[in-house]
Amino acid sequence: MPAQSQSRETFRWTPRRIERRVKKLGEWFHNIELNGVQTAPQHKLGDYPTVKWKRFAHTIPANLHGKSVLDIGCNAGFYSLEMKRRGAARVLGIDTSETYLEQARFVAAVSGMEIEFRKLSIYQLFELRETFDVVLCMGVLYHLRHPLLALDLIRKYAAAELVVLQSMLRGSSRIYRTKADYPFDERDVFRRTGYPVMHFVEENYCGDPTNWWIPNASCLEALIRSAGFEIFIHPESEVYLCRPQKKLQRAGDVLSPPVATEVVRP
Ligand SMILES: C[S@@+](CC[C@H](N)C(=O)[O-])C[C@H]1O[C@@H](n2cnc3c(N)ncnc32)[C@H](O)[C@@H]1O
């Protein structure tokens, strides 16, 4: 047997090896257990994203055999891995951070899962030329300068059956459904508790300059509807299961031709 294939066969990801590699791969946002080693045991949100996942996992189909999944903003691949564990035929994770993608590839290798990870922005979805049965967009929206454009792009280029969306929310959690129209001199409605509001972060939130827009609950629901999705399950305060609506709410195709530029804070 050639020396190279012999060493590949005998190579094992022992906890010591994993620990060393985890350290080398930089700061982890996902806490994932790999052969007894945790990648981010000190996470400020606890055992994250497991704590979040446990609150809505039961609403995602347990059997994803034959399905394709796109995990937007996949980070170290926690959700990609969970989708693969449910039998998805193809899982593609995309992220703009090479550091996180390297972590994700490592996690998949140690877990023995075949998952593709690619450096791609949500604004480049049209480059994939592929739609997916399931699209996850977890914890990404508030990191975007153009959140509604991103939702429009998911609707137009990526989503076939199910979109699972999660966003940080701030402000009132009351859902205020606006009327279809108001006269010009209507002022009070904008002061109503729960009116759809997007909070703009000019500099930092939580020490993080990549936070741009944080919606309240009404606003997130309105954005989802406005991008042409119907919400059909809301299992957790920040998580929405949506499906594409046949008809868009308003006339006009804002995405033709596609505008897709990544804008970052200077
Ligand atoms: C808060 S983390 C969420 C990670 C994971 N989806 C989760 O819910 O645990 C946000 C992730 O979105 C990625 N991201 C930020 N801007 C992006 C963009 N324009 N396109 C794709 N991913 C992006 C970040 O690199 C990061 O991995």
Side-chain angles (χ1 to χ4, degrees):
M1 194 185 286
Q4 202 189 354
S5 60
Q6 204 172 20
S7 62
R8 207 178 285 149
E9 265 173 33
T10 50
F11 184 84
R12 280 184 49 240
W13 281 110
T14 60
R16 255 180 76 106
R17 281 180 173 145
I18 293 172
E19 237 167 49
R20 260 186 267 138
R21 190 94 178 95
V22 164
K23 266 200 193 125
K24 271 199 177 155
L25 286 170
E27 286 275 308
W28 289 68
F29 176 71
H30 278 174
N31 187 39
I32 301 172
E33 201 199 295
L34 301 168
N35 295 353
V37 178
Q38 298 203 319
T39 56
Q42 313 296 343
H43 201 297
K44 62 181 180 201
L45 299 174
D47 184 7
Y48 200 84
T50 298
V51 282
K52 179 67 96 186
W53 172 234
K54 279 187 176 159
R55 294 205 283 262
F56 70 94
H58 60 284
T59 61
I60 309 291
N63 182 352
L64 289 173
H65 280 91
K67 301 287 186 190
S68 57
V69 179
L70 174 67
D71 182 5
I72 301 171
C74 60
N75 202 271
F78 176 92
Y79 289 112
S80 299
L81 203 64
E82 291 301 330
M83 297 301 107
K84 199 69 195 172
R85 284 189 180 134
R86 291 187 177 207
R90 162 164 166 68
V91 179
L92 171 63
I94 63 167
D95 205 291
T96 45
S97 158
E98 198 50 68
T99 303
Y100 290 141
L101 287 165
E102 266 201 56
Q103 293 177 357
R105 289 185 191 109
F106 169 66
V107 165
V110 175
S111 313
M113 295 288 189
E114 202 180 304
I115 303 173
E116 186 187 345
F117 292 103
R118 209 187 290 180
K119 185 167 184 185
L120 199 80
S121 167
I122 197 168
Y123 300 125
Q124 294 170 289
L125 283 180
F126 61 92
E127 287 181 22
L128 289 175
R129 299 188 191 287
E130 185 181 355
T131 57
F132 295 82
D133 299 310
V134 180
V135 175
L136 305 179
C137 183
M138 308 291 293
V140 181
L141 216 66
Y142 51 91
H143 287 298
L144 302 174
R145 193 173 159 95
H146 308 290
L148 194 51
L149 170 63
L151 287 177
D152 285 348
L153 288 164
I154 294 176
R155 172 70 177 78
K156 180 151 177 154
Y157 295 103
E161 275 178 32
L162 168 68
V163 176
V164 188
L165 193 96
Q166 181 246 324
S167 174
M168 167 164 60
L169 299 172
R170 290 293 180 265
S172 173
S173 54
R174 186 176 162 218
I175 300 301
Y176 186 87
R177 278 303 289 264
T178 51
K179 291 188 206 160
D181 195 10
Y182 293 95
F184 183 73
D185 57 4
E186 169 64 60
R187 299 283 196 275
D188 289 346
V189 69
F190 300 104
R191 286 194 282 267
R192 299 257 159 86
T193 310
Y195 183 88
V197 167
M198 223 20 175
H199 304 96
F200 181 60
V201 179
E202 190 177 349
E203 294 195 28
N204 293 276
Y205 179 64
C206 216
D208 185 348
T210 76
N211 288 321
W212 280 102
W213 291 99
I214 312 173
N216 65 8
S218 285
C219 182
L220 181 58
E221 293 191 8
L223 292 173
I224 292 171
R225 285 191 300 273
S226 174
F229 293 102
E230 172 198 7
I231 297 165
F232 68 100
I233 307 181
H234 178 31
E236 203 262 358
S237 61
E238 297 184 340
V239 178
Y240 291 85
L241 270 64
C242 323
R243 55 186 159 225
Q245 283 175 326
K246 295 227 161 49
K247 226 171 132 267
L248 294 178
Q249 256 191 7
R250 284 201 213 170
D253 186 352
V254 292
L255 290 175
S256 192
V259 192
T261 46
E262 175 65 272
V263 184
V264 289
R265 235 182 256 275

